[in-house]
């Protein structure tokens, strides 16, 4: 870039800045007028929030916040369903979520942003048998059917290059609508094809500049007319009805109007991150290698549409058919599943700010835990849990208390940060906002929370200074190994593929092997997430002329001249493979390992607590960002800390996630790290 181009770019930025300010001001005026209109309409004696909400393009909760007199009588007591079905019958052009979709935000009344949310607790009455009784007639058992493969093609939607088996073709995709893609593909390939992976081009973003949010653009693309096709209503064991609206990786599901032909259009980005050099042929080879390596360890392996579907299907084929768990692994009661959903967070994401860190960092160094969750699957809770009250815990002998905290438990605790503490926080506490967590570290701070056994044990035995932890209540399981065989096979598959990627002489095949290894990581990562059975949103559309038909408990997520797009929580499915206790235990272990992790071979420790105070800049799921390099051992094993990025200082301390990610990417480029180990 020359000086003239740079100067012109600055001028363009100033123009954009001014336009953004004008647009923001205009938007604020419109929103103010909308709110005044809602307040005026609420004065009508027949006004109803469920009528006003779709007209305003808002959720009922927001309308009620503006006009409290419109609140339904049961709004203060009704709680959102703790989880949702994976498959729902079609209604008003429904869409259901992919199994590895990120958890949505449940509908709720707006809260004071300064007020931390309160976590649920176990019932205080003595009759808690219903909570601790497994769901009747529901258990994870070895499947009694053979999984069918789905013939697949790979399409670059920007160039029209299509790969079908060993053929490479170029298609005219027209306007890149779903209808144009289906027409072009099935004019070329047999009607037996059931899945189209988009490797590049993201056709669902083609009109993104016309919509305020990507989700709106995606929803419009999914719901556009497709002559000869209708939205899939589902069939078979692993079929899901309707489309799934996601800003980056949506799923379009169609079936022939006059036939039994079902097809999905999916993003290959569900499986791994692709770059501009990854052709459909390389992606095809990656899936082929993935299937071949999985077959070495899972003889009946089939690659399903998403990593989570594949991971859970592979796991079911490791369930023992004889021995202690021959009758399957029981599913917790709905009450305990809901409690775990509300009180067991996932990865730790925290950005520390000055004065806890310097304004100018001497460096920013990223250490990322390789294939981290695979490290924590060797022990998991099994069977029917029991309650351990605070009084019962206090009466236990010291060794029994130690064993309980080191075992498979989920604990309701009151925590006090010790005087003189000058390092990072150790335990998650509820923060304002749904499913938000922070990590108090100020000496003397006291808070009440829930945490898994690994984190509680770490807080009590950390290498710096023990924290005060009072057990208020708890859930304790027997320890077992329900995920061990599954995880070991996936780790062996991952090791084989990473080795191929490292030693393969052909660059394209090396890249395919690397992508396949990343897919194995996704299978385990999202497979674990699918056990959580988090609440799901059912998304649907309703014609603007029929806005009265929008469900009264739905949230409006988008609209255009023709359609209103809405979403709503649904209830628990009778899912035999719902085990949030497994996901919660793994997530807790992974968060604890970010703080301290023992390396037996080297007789040394790694993790944030083994760094000087004030050198931790951020945590991001499996990674920790520091201002000083560490001599932590790395043996290419799951859980090891890999030096992933190094950015020399001085570096201004990041103040947002966007700034952190920008610095992260620069640091990775500077280090020129090899992707095979990531």
């Amino acid at each position: 870039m020359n000086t003239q181009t740079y100067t012109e770019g600055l001028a363009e930025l100033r123009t954009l800045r001014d336009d953004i300010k004008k647009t923001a001001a205009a938007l604020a005026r419109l929103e103010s007028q909308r709110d005044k209109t809602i307040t005026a309409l609420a004065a009508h004696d027949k006004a109803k929030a469920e009528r006003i909400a779709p007209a305003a393009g808002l959720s009922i909760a927001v309308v009620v916040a503006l006009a409290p007199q419109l609140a339904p009588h049961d709004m203060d007591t009704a709680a959102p369903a703790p989880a949702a079905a994976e498959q729902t019958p079609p209604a008003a052009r429904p869409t259901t979520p992919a199994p590895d979709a990120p958890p949505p935000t449940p509908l709720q009344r707006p809260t004071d942003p300064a007020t931390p949310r309160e976590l649920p607790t176990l019932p205080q009455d003595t009759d808690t048998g219903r909570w601790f009784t497994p769901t009747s007639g529901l258990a994870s058992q070895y499947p009694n059917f053979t999984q069918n493969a789905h013939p697949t093609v790979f399409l670059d939607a920007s160039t029209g290059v299509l790969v079908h088996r060993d053929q490479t073709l170029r298609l005219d995709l027209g306007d890149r609508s779903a209808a144009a893609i289906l027409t072009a593909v099935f004019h070329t390939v047999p009607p037996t094809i059931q899945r189209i992976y988009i490797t590049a081009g993201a056709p669902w973003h083609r009109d993104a500049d016309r919509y305020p949010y990507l989700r709106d653009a995606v929803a419009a693309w999914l719901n556009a007319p497709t002559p000869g096709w209708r939205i899939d209503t589902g069939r078979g064991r692993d079929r899901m009805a309707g489309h799934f609206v996601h800003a980056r990786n949506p799923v379009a599901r169609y079936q022939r109007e006059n036939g039994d032909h079902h097809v999905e259009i999916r993003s290959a980005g569900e499986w791994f991150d692709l770059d501009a050099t990854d052709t459909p042929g390389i992606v095809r080879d990656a899936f082929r290698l993935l299937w071949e390596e999985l077959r070495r360890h899972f003889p009946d392996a089939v690659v399903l549409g998403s990593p989570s579907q594949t991971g859970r299907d592979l796991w079911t084929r490791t369930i023992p058919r004889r021995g202690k768990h021959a009758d399957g692994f029981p599913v917790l009661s709905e009450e305990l599943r809901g409690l775990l959903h509300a009180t067991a967070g996932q990865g730790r994401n925290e950005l520390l700010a000055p004065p806890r860190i310097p304004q100018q960092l001497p460096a920013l160094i990223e250490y990322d835990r390789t294939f981290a969750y695979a490290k924590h699957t060797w022990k998991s809770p099994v069977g029917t849990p029991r309650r351990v009250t605070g009084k019962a815990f206090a009466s236990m002998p010291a060794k029994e208390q130690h064993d309980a905290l080191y075992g498979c438990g989920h604990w309701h605790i009151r925590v006090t940060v010790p005087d003189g503490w000058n390092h990072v926080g150790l335990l998650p506490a509820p923060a304002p906002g749904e499913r938000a967590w922070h990590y108090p570290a100020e000496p003397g701070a006291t808070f009440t929370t829930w945490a898994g056994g690994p984190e509680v044990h770490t807080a009590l035995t950390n290498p710096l200074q023990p924290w005060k932890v009072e057990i208020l209540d708890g859930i304790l399981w027997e320890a077992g190994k329900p995920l061990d065989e599954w995880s070991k096979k996936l780790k062996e598959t991952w090791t084989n593929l990473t080795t191929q990627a490292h030693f393969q002489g052909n660059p394209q095949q090396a890249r395919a092997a690397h992508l396949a290894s990343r897919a194995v990581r996704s299978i385990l990562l999202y497979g674990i997430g699918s056990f959580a059975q988090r609440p799901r949103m059912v998304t649907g559309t309703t014609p603007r002329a029929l806005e009265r038909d929008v469900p009264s408990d739905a949230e409006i997520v988008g609209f255009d001249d023709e359609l209103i797009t809405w979403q709503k929580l649904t209830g628990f499915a009778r899912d035999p493979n719902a085990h949030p206790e497994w996901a919660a235990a793994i997530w807790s272990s992974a968060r604890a390992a970010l703080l301290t992790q023992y390396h037996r071979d080297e007789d040394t420790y790694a993790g944030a607590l083994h760094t000087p105070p004030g050198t931790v800049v951020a945590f991001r799921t499996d990674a920790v960002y520091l201002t000083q390099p560490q001599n932590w051992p790395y043996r290419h094993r799951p859980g090891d800390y890999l030096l992933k990025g190094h950015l020399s200082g001085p570096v201004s301390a990041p103040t947002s996630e966007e700034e952190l990610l920008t610095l992260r990417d620069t640091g990775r480029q500077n280090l020129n790290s090899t992707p095979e180990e990531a």
Side-chain angles (χ1 to χ4, degrees):
M1 175 181 293
N2 56 32
T3 302
Q4 180 181 353
T5 304
Y6 178 74
T7 303
E8 291 173 350
L10 289 176
E12 181 182 1
L13 276 179
R14 296 186 187 99
T15 301
L16 290 171
R17 176 199 64 197
D18 294 342
D19 289 345
I20 289 171
K21 287 183 178 180
K22 293 176 183 177
T23 303
L27 177 61
R29 288 194 296 271
L30 290 171
E31 289 178 338
S32 176
Q33 182 59 43
R34 177 198 62 196
D35 295 347
K36 291 178 181 178
T37 303
I38 290 173
T39 304
L41 291 173
H44 190 273
D45 57 357
K46 294 184 179 180
K48 293 184 179 180
E50 57 266 31
R51 289 291 308 281
I52 295 175
L58 298 173
S59 68
I60 292 177
V62 174
V63 170
V64 169
L66 292 168
Q69 68 269 35
L70 297 179
H73 295 303
D74 60 349
M75 190 163 185
D76 289 325
T77 58
E86 281 196 344
Q87 185 165 337
T88 58
R93 303 187 74 181
T95 61
T96 56
D100 51 357
T105 301
L107 308 180
Q108 59 180 18
R109 298 180 80 172
T111 58
D112 183 348
T115 304
R117 72 188 191 283
E118 291 187 8
L119 298 178
T121 61
L122 292 169
Q124 296 306 305
D125 57 78
T126 57
D127 183 20
T128 57
R130 176 167 55 91
W131 284 61
F132 288 84
T133 300
T135 303
S136 177
L138 205 59
S140 304
Q141 296 178 318
Y142 193 93
N144 59 3
F145 66 96
T146 300
Q147 190 64 261
N148 294 321
H150 298 263
T152 301
V153 296
F154 303 89
L155 176 66
D156 183 330
S158 59
T159 64
V161 172
L162 175 83
V163 170
H164 172 226
R165 296 185 176 178
D166 293 326
Q167 291 182 301
T168 300
L169 308 163
R170 188 176 293 273
L171 309 182
D172 180 0
L173 300 181
D175 62 359
R176 297 196 303 153
S177 65
I181 289 174
L182 291 171
T183 299
V185 168
F186 288 106
H187 183 73
T188 309
V189 302
T192 54
I193 296 300
Q194 297 178 352
R195 187 175 299 132
I196 302 169
Y197 273 124
I198 303 297
T199 64
W204 36 80
H205 293 163
R206 61 174 189 155
D207 293 327
D209 57 344
R210 294 175 50 195
Y211 296 89
Y213 302 104
L214 273 181
R215 281 179 58 91
D216 294 344
V218 171
W221 187 88
L222 291 171
N223 291 312
T226 49
W229 300 84
R230 58 186 173 89
I231 297 177
D232 201 340
T233 55
R235 69 180 179 111
R237 296 177 183 271
D238 61 340
R239 288 283 183 177
M240 298 177 65
H243 302 318
F244 166 54
V245 181
H246 186 277
R248 301 292 178 185
N249 298 313
V251 182
R253 302 184 179 100
Y254 302 98
Q255 66 183 97
R256 290 281 188 186
E257 288 183 345
N258 300 315
D260 196 34
H261 181 196
H262 300 250
V263 64
E264 294 179 328
I265 302 177
R266 309 187 73 113
S267 169
E270 292 182 80
W271 290 86
F272 29 59
D273 293 329
L274 298 172
D275 61 34
T277 65
D278 292 323
T279 64
I282 290 177
V283 177
R284 183 247 352 246
D285 291 345
F287 276 99
R288 181 180 291 172
L289 282 172
L290 173 65
W291 176 77
E292 290 173 352
E293 287 299 327
L294 286 174
R295 282 271 171 158
R296 297 178 187 272
H297 304 286
F298 302 90
D300 50 357
V302 171
V303 178
L304 299 179
S306 71
S308 69
Q309 288 175 305
T310 305
R312 198 156 67 160
D313 180 71
L314 292 176
W315 171 75
T316 63
R317 297 171 196 282
T318 66
I319 297 175
R321 286 182 281 187
R322 60 183 65 182
K324 184 175 182 179
H325 299 291
D327 294 332
F329 297 100
V331 174
L332 298 178
S333 68
E334 291 190 12
E335 290 81 3
L336 280 190
R337 279 182 276 163
L339 179 77
L340 284 167
H341 161 67
T343 61
Q346 195 171 347
R348 178 171 181 168
N349 289 286
E350 182 183 22
L351 181 63
L352 282 72
R356 295 179 66 183
I357 61 173
Q359 289 279 2
Q360 292 294 314
L361 309 179
L364 184 65
I365 303 167
E366 177 189 11
Y367 288 94
D368 188 45
R369 297 185 65 228
T370 296
F371 205 12
Y373 286 179
K375 173 78 172 179
H376 307 294
T377 54
W378 63 277
K379 180 179 74 172
S380 301
V382 294
T384 301
R386 62 186 176 96
R387 182 176 188 177
V388 180
T389 64
K391 183 177 180 180
F393 184 86
S395 66
M396 289 180 177
K399 184 180 186 307
E400 193 173 344
Q401 289 183 344
H402 173 275
D403 292 345
L405 292 178
Y406 193 72
C408 295
H410 191 59
W411 302 97
H412 189 208
I413 54 179
R414 183 179 293 114
V415 183
T416 301
V417 182
D419 292 337
W421 184 260
N422 65 348
H423 219 295
V424 298
L426 304 186
L427 290 164
E434 176 63 23
R435 297 199 59 76
W437 302 89
H438 66 146
Y439 294 80
E442 183 180 353
T446 298
F447 58 95
T448 301
T449 190
W450 284 83
E455 291 169 285
V456 176
H457 187 267
T458 297
L460 293 170
T461 63
N462 76 82
L464 301 180
Q465 187 179 1
W467 283 29
K468 180 181 177 181
V469 179
E470 178 188 356
I471 302 296
L472 305 177
D473 218 334
I475 308 165
L476 190 61
W477 288 265
E478 174 189 353
K481 294 181 177 292
L483 304 176
D484 195 44
E485 180 184 355
W486 173 71
S487 177
K488 284 180 178 177
K489 290 181 175 182
L490 289 176
K491 284 185 281 189
E492 290 170 3
T493 303
W494 173 79
T495 299
N496 292 343
L497 288 167
T498 53
T499 301
Q500 287 186 47
H502 184 73
F503 291 104
Q504 173 61 250
N506 183 307
Q508 290 190 339
Q509 288 303 304
R511 177 63 179 172
H514 169 65
L515 291 177
S517 72
R518 300 296 292 174
V520 176
R521 176 187 177 277
S522 297
I523 287 172
L524 186 133
L525 176 69
Y526 292 118
I528 289 169
S530 72
F531 289 127
Q533 197 199 33
R534 295 197 180 283
R536 307 292 188 181
M537 288 287 187
V538 172
T539 306
T541 58
T542 301
R544 290 289 294 265
L546 300 175
E547 66 181 40
R548 292 188 180 187
D549 294 340
V550 174
S552 61
D553 56 347
E555 177 186 12
I556 308 301
V557 295
F559 53 88
D560 56 26
D561 293 340
E562 298 180 358
L563 296 173
I564 299 171
T565 303
W566 48 264
Q567 62 183 15
K568 59 176 289 188
L569 285 167
T570 61
F572 271 115
R574 284 187 59 82
D575 182 357
N577 298 318
H579 292 286
E581 68 276 19
W582 296 349
I586 291 169
W587 295 336
S588 178
S589 295
R591 291 193 298 269
L594 278 177
L595 300 171
T596 178
Q597 175 175 279
Y598 180 59
H599 290 258
R600 187 178 305 276
D601 292 345
E602 294 81 10
D603 190 25
T604 189
Y605 289 86
L609 292 182
H610 303 280
T611 66
T615 61
V616 178
V617 177
F619 296 95
R620 186 170 169 79
T621 310
D622 302 326
V624 59
Y625 297 81
L626 308 172
T627 63
Q628 295 180 6
Q630 304 296 317
N631 190 28
W632 292 337
Y634 185 76
R635 291 180 174 268
H636 309 272
R637 296 171 180 169
D640 286 358
Y641 280 90
L642 170 69
L643 176 60
K644 195 77 170 290
H646 189 141
L647 184 61
S648 298
V651 179
S652 296
T655 60
S656 66
E657 182 182 30
E658 291 75 16
E659 291 182 9
L660 175 66
L661 295 180
T662 299
L663 294 174
R664 178 202 67 181
D665 294 343
T666 304
R668 290 181 179 181
Q669 293 171 4
N670 287 352
L671 185 65
N672 193 26
S673 59
T674 54
E676 290 84 358
E677 313 298 349

